[in-house]
Amino acid sequence: MKFSRKVPVAAGAILLLGLAACSAGSPSSSSSDSGTLVYAVGEPDHLSPGRQLVAFTQVMSLFSPLVSLDDDNVITYIQAESVESDDATNWTISLRPDWTFQNGEPVTAQSYVDAWNYTAYGPNAWENSGQLASIVGYDDLNPADGSTPATETMSGLAVVDDLTFTVTLDHADSQFPLQLSQAQTGFYPMPESAYDDIDAYDRQPVGNGPFQMNEAWVDNEEFTVSAYDDYAGDAPLVDAVTFRAYADMNTAYTDVLAGNADVLYLPTDKMTSAEADFGDRLYAYDAPGIDYLGFPLWDDRYSDTRVRQAISMSIDRDAVNTAIFGGLYEPATALTPPAMAGTPEGICGEYCEFDADAGKALLAEAGGFTGTMEIVFPGGNGLDSLYEAYANQIRQNLGVDAVAVPTTDWAEYYQTLVDSTVAGPHFGHWGALYQSQQNTLRSLFTLAGGCSLCTGGYNNADVDGLLDTADSALTQEEAEAGYVAVQERVLEDFPIVPTFFNKYAYVTSDKIATLPQLSGSPVLEKITLND
């Protein structure tokens, strides 16, 4: 069987909002500037594509992917001409000619191979390294014992010519072309000039995308990107975008309402009021995202599966959806959202259904809970009312002293995950980087998946094996059945509490005429403005 993904050309990039926040600098640009829009965001962590975790919007304005995915999971080629394999293990990627980086360097096969090797190289400690973990030779760059690698390149990558390179995977994976899509920024290329000063590059990256940076990013200050005149894809429909960071997304909401900013991912605290405030300038899109509660699985108080199941049963998701989300969301009944093909809705069964009495009995069976249960979430992101609702329901329905505890900001919250110091059940959200169950399941439930910190370091050899089997399926139907088996096995351990299937909601100022989207997120270069 030949795995070929070849379809007509159309340029596009999906923009996902990472939950992050920091202080905003004084606005240097106005939303009224002709041809320019102001996008309200959180402070970036990094702008290098192999590093960023919460700067999707900014980074994907600067880079274009090999392929993009539409809402029906159909692949459109962008920088790639084709991605083909006869066995789903050995892949050949051919590039379109005449693409350049914003400094004029040509985009070549070597640009990709060098960037992927640099991102995967363990001593660099780049955050998106795990996206490349299935390439042969990745383990050589990341020795299990933590020693210095004996090589700096993956043996599974080879340049054939200027516009062709090959990729050998460590197991057959029919989903590989999907992994090369817009939100998997670890697969982006970098120019040769990047390696001259990689720290400076992180502040002002040169990409192959529709916009280029006008100045270097300075902490806590907004910055602007402008349309790249020599972009080989479809030209942006706006002249420039200013990214303005906010310490509090509720302040950003007020600014968009007043016309001082133009696009904002809707804060949870404003979901019940947004329709009245914005009318038809509220957009809610089906999305590949799921919300959940994670756990410090190393804490004995949460080590019993029944404790986690009891917490899940104590949450009245329908009531929360009405009171907090204004009915926009859907209670989660699986580990992946319905936007992903083959999602087995209802597989969570009774443990995702509200039953206070059964939950309380299950907790008692597990030996009860001692002390205060702190429900931790990142402050400044409009999540207070949601986590207070969770804490109230757990306290009332399980008889546990539960309190909602915000951190100062995203950075402090994330550091508690890195340091394994998070005090209790905690904020969890995964917006899949490509629309396959594989992405969510591998990311959250394997050590190499990229977000094992988000689920308390959960891992299980059975799950790893079932994922490999699903990945290597020769048909999409077989793959989907394999991922259902993965979900069944993970739910036996119940390492997280699935709470809600997401819609990605946005509000805009009067300046925005249209807000096109892919996979639930705005396509920045396709936004149009009112005259």
Side-chain angles (χ1 to χ4, degrees), residues 153-170:
T153 60
M154 290 182 282
S155 58
L157 296 177
V159 173
V160 176
D161 57 40
D162 282 351
L163 296 177
T164 312
F165 65 104
T166 60
V167 183
T168 303
L169 304 181
D170 60 14

Side-chain angles (χ1 to χ4, degrees), residues 255-280:
D255 271 5
V256 175
L257 193 58
N260 296 322
D262 299 306
V263 181
L264 171 69
Y265 184 87
L266 183 61
T268 301
D269 279 356
K270 297 297 185 180
M271 285 189 170
T272 56
S273 59
E275 185 173 6
D277 289 341
F278 285 91
D280 61 5

Side-chain angles (χ1 to χ4, degrees), residues 47-52 59 63 119 126 128 185-186 188-190 201 205:
L47 294 180
S48 299
R51 296 215 65 184
Q52 73 79 28
V59 169
F63 292 83
T119 299
W126 276 28
N128 290 323
T185 62
Y188 285 178
M190 296 192 298
Y201 183 80

Side-chain angles (χ1 to χ4, degrees), residues 165-196:
F165 65 104
T166 60
V167 183
T168 303
L169 304 181
D170 60 14
H171 67 283
D173 188 354
S174 62
Q175 309 293 295
F176 181 66
L178 281 66
Q179 296 168 24
L180 305 177
S181 58
Q182 53 264 29
Q184 290 266 102
T185 62
F187 285 99
Y188 285 178
M190 296 192 298
E192 291 181 21
S193 61
Y195 309 100
D196 295 338

Side-chain angles (χ1 to χ4, degrees), residues 17-22 41-43 246-250 265-270 377-384 406-411 413 427:
L17 177 75
L19 276 175
C22 200
V41 293
E43 179 75 359
Y246 284 82
D248 188 331
M249 291 304 168
N250 290 332
Y265 184 87
L266 183 61
T268 301
D269 279 356
K270 297 297 185 180
F377 65 96
N381 285 282
L383 295 168
D384 299 67
T407 59
T408 302
D409 53 21
W410 173 267
Y413 167 75
F427 164 86

Side-chain angles (χ1 to χ4, degrees), residues 237-458:
L237 301 179
V238 295
D239 297 330
V241 179
T242 294
F243 293 110
R244 182 176 299 159
Y246 284 82
D248 188 331
M249 291 304 168
N250 290 332
T251 301
Y253 181 93
T254 301
D255 271 5
V256 175
L257 193 58
N260 296 322
D262 299 306
V263 181
L264 171 69
Y265 184 87
L266 183 61
T268 301
D269 279 356
K270 297 297 185 180
M271 285 189 170
T272 56
S273 59
E275 185 173 6
D277 289 341
F278 285 91
D280 61 5
R281 291 183 287 117
L282 165 64
Y283 300 82
Y285 300 125
D286 290 335
I290 186 170
D291 287 351
Y292 62 90
L293 289 177
F295 291 90
L297 297 178
W298 58 85
D299 187 330
D300 289 343
R301 297 177 300 168
Y302 303 102
S303 62
D304 192 312
T305 301
R306 293 169 295 181
V307 172
R308 303 189 293 272
Q309 292 169 335
I311 290 171
S312 181
M313 297 174 79
S314 74
I315 297 172
D316 186 342
R317 292 164 176 80
D318 288 327
V320 172
N321 188 32
T322 299
I324 306 299
F325 299 125
L328 286 174
Y329 280 13
E330 179 182 344
T333 61
L335 298 175
T336 56
M340 292 179 178
T343 284
E345 293 186 70
I347 195 172
C348 187
E350 62 181 319
Y351 299 119
C352 286
E353 297 174 0
F354 175 55
D355 190 333
D357 292 339
K360 194 168 188 178
L362 194 59
L363 182 63
E365 181 183 308
F369 187 89
T370 303
T372 299
M373 184 181 294
E374 297 184 36
I375 318 296
V376 182
F377 65 96
N381 285 282
L383 295 168
D384 299 67
S385 58
L386 173 63
Y387 281 81
E388 287 166 3
Y390 287 154
N392 289 340
Q393 290 196 353
I394 292 169
R395 181 171 56 254
Q396 293 166 7
N397 296 324
L398 295 184
V400 170
D401 180 20
V403 295
V405 179
T407 59
T408 302
D409 53 21
W410 173 267
E412 181 182 325
Y413 167 75
Y414 186 71
Q415 197 60 44
T416 68
L417 302 185
V418 172
D419 297 338
S420 296
T421 58
V422 66
H426 56 82
F427 164 86
H429 167 80
W430 185 255
L433 302 184
Y434 53 96
Q435 288 198 173
S436 168
Q437 291 182 62
Q438 179 196 60
N439 180 252
T440 298
L441 298 175
R442 278 203 174 276
S443 298
L444 296 180
F445 306 116
T446 69
L447 288 179
C451 207
S452 65
L453 293 175
C454 311
T455 54
Y458 172 81

Side-chain angles (χ1 to χ4, degrees), residues 14-96:
I14 184 175
L15 300 174
L16 298 181
L17 177 75
L19 276 175
C22 200
S23 299
S26 299
S28 59
S29 61
S30 167
S31 177
S32 63
D33 292 344
S34 177
T36 298
L37 66 89
V38 175
Y39 206 119
V41 293
E43 179 75 359
D45 53 346
H46 296 280
L47 294 180
S48 299
R51 296 215 65 184
Q52 73 79 28
L53 291 176
V54 295
F56 287 94
T57 308
Q58 299 93 319
V59 169
M60 287 192 286
S61 72
L62 303 170
F63 292 83
S64 284
L66 287 163
V67 308
S68 72
L69 292 177
D70 67 15
D71 290 343
D72 296 321
N73 237 23
V74 175
I75 285 181
T76 296
Y77 282 93
I78 308 298
Q79 175 75 75
E81 181 76 37
S82 63
V83 180
E84 297 181 328
S85 177
D86 291 322
D87 58 9
T89 300
N90 299 284
W91 294 87
T92 298
I93 299 176
S94 299
L95 304 179
R96 297 189 181 281

